[in-house]
């Protein structure tokens, strides 16, 4: 069955960096766009970034543009989120999610990981 | 403030019908982009409930239905059950932001 397993979260000081990973199985990873979506404690969902099936197209929410980088390694079935210059407001549960299409534009997310918690605090 | 506007909460008794609205603008729902709905049970990851405005993934009961008109969309739940108590989110694409957007979420309480 489809599985998305996120990892890499933790407690980090403001201004520092962290890299999240999401290992997938149960579907052909290289055939789908992938997203990161976050949820601050007690708050709603916020879309963070999307990467197309081959990594050629990437888009970001304004709140993370210039600080976060989404990438993928199709040979390892793994999605990444490099987070730099972290701020307190980046504290959230970060979900990786599978898109239903190759480009990830205007489509839904049909499978989600369990989430990995990032806490930015001094 | 979320780009898509949802009521913070709705409630209904078991067996009743409730609807959750999702209001956007000309750069997202009104531009013709599809709306998708997710159910998030307490302490779990979101689950795709409706895709492409009105389509149900396999395994989603037909008590759940979606519709879209103009700059708004709606999720309807009929025959409310206790297990439906959850947070519900709408999602679409916004061409001025060049990215996906979510509604603020609606907490459904089954009385």
């Amino acid at each position: 069955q489809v599985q998305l397993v996120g990892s890499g979260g933790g407690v980090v000081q403001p201004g520092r960096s962290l890299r999240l990973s999401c290992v997938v199985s149960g579907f052909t990873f290289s055939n789908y766009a992938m997203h990161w979506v976050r949820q601050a404690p007690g708050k709603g969902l916020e879309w963070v970034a999307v990467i197309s099936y081959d990594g050629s197209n990437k888009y970001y929410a304004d709140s993370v543009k210039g600080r976060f980088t989404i990438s993928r390694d199709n040979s390892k079935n793994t999605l990444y989120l490099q987070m730099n210059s972290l701020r307190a407001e980046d504290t959230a549960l970060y979900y990786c999610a599978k898109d239903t299409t190759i480009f990830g534009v205007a489509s839904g997310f049909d499978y989600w990981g369990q989430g990995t918690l990032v806490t930015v605090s001094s | 403030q979320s780009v898509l506007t949802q009521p913070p909460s709705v409630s209904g008794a078991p067996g009743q019908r409730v609807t959750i609205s999702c209001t956007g603008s000309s750069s997202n729902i009104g531009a013709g982009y599809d709306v998708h709905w997710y159910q998030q049970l307490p302490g779990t990851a979101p689950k795709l409930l409706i895709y492409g405005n009105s389509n149900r993934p396999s395994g989603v009961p037909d008590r759940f239905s979606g519709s879209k008109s103009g700059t708004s969309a709606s999720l309807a739940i009929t025959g409310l059950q206790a297990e439906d108590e959850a947070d519900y989110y709408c999602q679409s694409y916004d061409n001025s932001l060049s990215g996906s957007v979510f509604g603020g979420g609606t907490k459904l309480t089954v009385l």
Side-chain angles (χ1 to χ4, degrees):
Chain A
Q1 76 276 26
V2 173
Q3 282 194 307
L4 292 80
V5 180
S7 64
V11 180
V12 61
Q13 292 179 328
R16 304 298 290 265
S17 300
L18 206 59
R19 188 177 84 156
L20 305 183
S21 299
C22 175
V23 178
V24 314
S25 60
F27 66 96
T28 304
F29 181 61
S30 57
N31 283 356
Y32 296 95
M34 295 293 295
H35 301 259
W36 287 100
V37 177
R38 68 185 181 183
Q39 186 169 34
K43 303 296 184 182
L45 301 174
E46 179 187 14
W47 175 79
V48 173
V50 61
I51 185 168
S52 60
Y53 71 108
D54 61 354
S56 61
N57 293 286
K58 306 173 187 180
Y59 298 96
Y60 300 90
D62 286 345
S63 58
V64 306
K65 202 172 294 182
R67 300 187 299 122
F68 289 12
T69 301
I70 189 172
S71 62
R72 65 191 296 160
D73 186 334
N74 286 346
S75 68
K76 296 182 178 179
N77 283 0
T78 304
L79 173 73
Y80 301 101
L81 184 67
Q82 176 67 43
M83 304 184 295
N84 298 332
S85 303
L86 282 162
R87 307 167 179 167
E89 53 265 36
D90 295 318
T91 294
L93 188 61
Y94 283 74
Y95 293 103
C96 53
K98 171 187 170 293
D99 198 274
T100 57
T101 69
I102 59 172
F103 287 114
V105 175
S107 39
F109 314 155
D110 56 353
Y111 292 95
W112 297 63
Q114 86 285 8
T116 183
L117 183 62
V118 173
T119 302
V120 183
S121 173
S122 54
Chain B
Q1 288 286 55
S2 301
V3 173
L4 304 180
T5 300
Q6 297 180 234
S9 63
V10 298
S11 62
Q16 284 191 332
R17 177 182 186 269
V18 296
T19 61
I20 298 173
S21 61
C22 175
T23 303
S25 66
S26 59
S27 61
N28 43 67
I29 299 175
Y33 296 111
D34 284 344
V35 177
H36 318 286
W37 291 90
Y38 302 86
Q39 177 192 59
Q40 187 176 33
L41 297 170
T44 69
K47 167 192 169 184
L48 181 64
L49 199 62
I50 297 287
Y51 67 95
N53 305 315
S54 59
N55 302 292
R56 285 186 307 277
S58 173
V60 173
D62 59 7
R63 301 187 296 105
F64 295 90
S65 62
S67 63
K68 173 188 156 186
S69 178
T71 58
S72 296
S74 289
L75 173 71
I77 309 172
T78 59
L80 264 184
Q81 299 180 4
E83 66 204 51
D84 299 332
E85 195 160 280
D87 293 325
Y88 293 83
Y89 295 90
C90 60
Q91 174 242 325
S92 187
Y93 178 83
D94 192 287
N95 58 27
S96 67
L97 299 174
S98 297
S100 293
V101 288
F102 284 95
T106 299
K107 182 176 182 57
L108 168 63
T109 300
V110 180
L111 301 171

